[in-house]
Amino acid sequence: MSDSLYQRILAHYTIYEGEVWHLHIFESDGKTIRHYPATQETAHTLFIEGIAIICRTVRNDILETLDAYTQAIPKYGMLYCAKKISEIPLLGNDKSPFVIYMAKYPTFKLTHF
């Protein structure tokens, strides 16, 4: 994750390590990531109204595929598209930093956080 103000995110659906997590809070210390179910409002947490993807840096062709799925959210729904995205192998080097991509309401255009 970036060294920005937000070290904690919460999204409707988050894809991490090939799994889809619904309303989980993800935290990073810059080296590791941990997550847990959101049970109450949490201060200093970025809420993403849509889908978040936490992964290592990915190739542009994979980003185009991810964007195509996020653009389909209005037609097929967030859960269906999140499951489809989780099936895509997000190739990245274990030494590359974690990045966050997000697709937020209302456009669901894939953007880098």
Side-chain angles (χ1 to χ4, degrees):
M1 291 182 162
S2 67
D3 291 329
S4 70
L5 174 64
Y6 297 105
Q7 293 297 314
R8 194 176 9 226
I9 66 163
L10 169 64
H12 287 287
Y13 294 98
T14 302
I15 294 98
Y16 175 63
E17 294 186 335
E19 299 287 331
V20 177
W21 302 94
H22 178 61
L23 295 175
H24 267 227
I25 294 172
F26 284 77
E27 296 181 325
S28 173
D29 62 7
K31 296 177 184 168
T32 60
I33 293 177
R34 69 182 197 105
H35 63 93
Y36 48 91
T39 57
Q40 61 188 11
E41 190 172 325
T42 306
H44 308 293
T45 302
L46 172 67
F47 179 68
I48 298 169
E49 190 175 1
I51 294 176
I53 304 166
I54 301 173
C55 59
R56 304 290 182 171
T57 306
V58 297
R59 299 185 322 248
N60 284 340
D61 60 322
I62 294 175
L63 288 176
E64 291 172 8
T65 303
L66 296 175
D67 188 51
Y69 277 117
T70 62
Q71 294 296 304
I73 289 172
K75 183 175 182 179
Y76 296 105
M78 273 192 264
L79 179 57
Y80 175 83
C81 293
K83 287 180 178 179
K84 287 296 190 184
I85 291 168
S86 73
E87 296 170 1
I88 299 170
L90 300 175
L91 304 176
N93 181 331
D94 284 343
K95 296 181 191 230
S96 64
F98 283 102
V99 294
I100 302 171
Y101 298 99
M102 57 188 170
K104 298 189 317 183
Y105 177 83
T107 65
F108 297 108
K109 175 77 178 144
L110 188 70
T111 57
H112 183 272
F113 174 73

